[in-house]
Amino acid sequence: MAEIKKVDNVRKIVIKEYDDQSSLTECHMLFVPKSMGELFDQVKSSLKGKSVLILTEEEGLGKKGSGINFLNIDNKWKFELNRKALEEADLKVATELTRLAILI
């Protein structure tokens, strides 16, 4: 999908895997998979003050400061939205997205 879609029909979407935290500030969005959840505090700390959307998929990480945390509830994917974390990252959220979210 990232190969076909573009942001604002202009900018390409680039997906990268990071081996170390020193280059994390080069991204706009960072997905921390459940298998790497133990690194969340370090990732959050290294991105403090940066406008990076942190996405996770582990129970409790929404409350710990992930901007969006995906959860499987009753075999349906839902997401938590942490407004404070998004404000701290200087990110804005569309009203439509807020209506669909579990707000934290």
Side-chain angles (χ1 to χ4, degrees):
M1 185 173 167
E3 292 174 5
I4 300 168
K5 298 283 185 180
K6 292 186 179 190
V7 177
D8 296 328
N9 289 324
V10 179
R11 295 186 301 176
K12 290 178 73 175
I13 298 171
V14 179
I15 298 175
K16 296 181 183 179
E17 282 193 43
Y18 292 99
D19 294 327
D20 63 75
Q21 291 178 243
S22 63
S23 55
L24 290 181
T25 57
E26 299 171 7
C27 66
H28 297 187
M29 241 193 275
L30 179 70
F31 177 67
V32 180
K34 193 172 191 172
S35 62
M36 303 296 281
E38 71 278 355
L39 298 175
F40 177 76
D41 290 330
Q42 291 173 293
V43 167
K44 183 181 166 203
S45 177
S46 68
L47 294 174
K48 187 173 180 134
K50 307 284 185 204
S51 291
V52 176
L53 173 60
I54 301 174
L55 301 120
T56 54
E57 61 175 351
E58 186 175 337
E59 184 74 38
L61 292 185
K63 290 180 181 173
K64 284 184 81 174
S66 171
I68 295 177
N69 185 46
F70 294 100
L71 298 171
N72 193 316
I73 301 171
D74 298 327
N75 290 321
K76 291 186 181 182
W77 283 102
K78 301 188 180 204
F79 66 97
E80 299 174 317
L81 191 130
N82 185 323
R83 290 183 284 191
K84 182 179 178 195
L86 294 170
E87 286 173 14
E88 288 174 356
D90 198 27
L91 299 171
K92 303 206 181 333
V93 180
T95 304
E96 297 85 22
L97 192 62
T98 303
R99 282 190 214 137
L100 298 171
I102 299 166
L103 300 176
I104 297 176

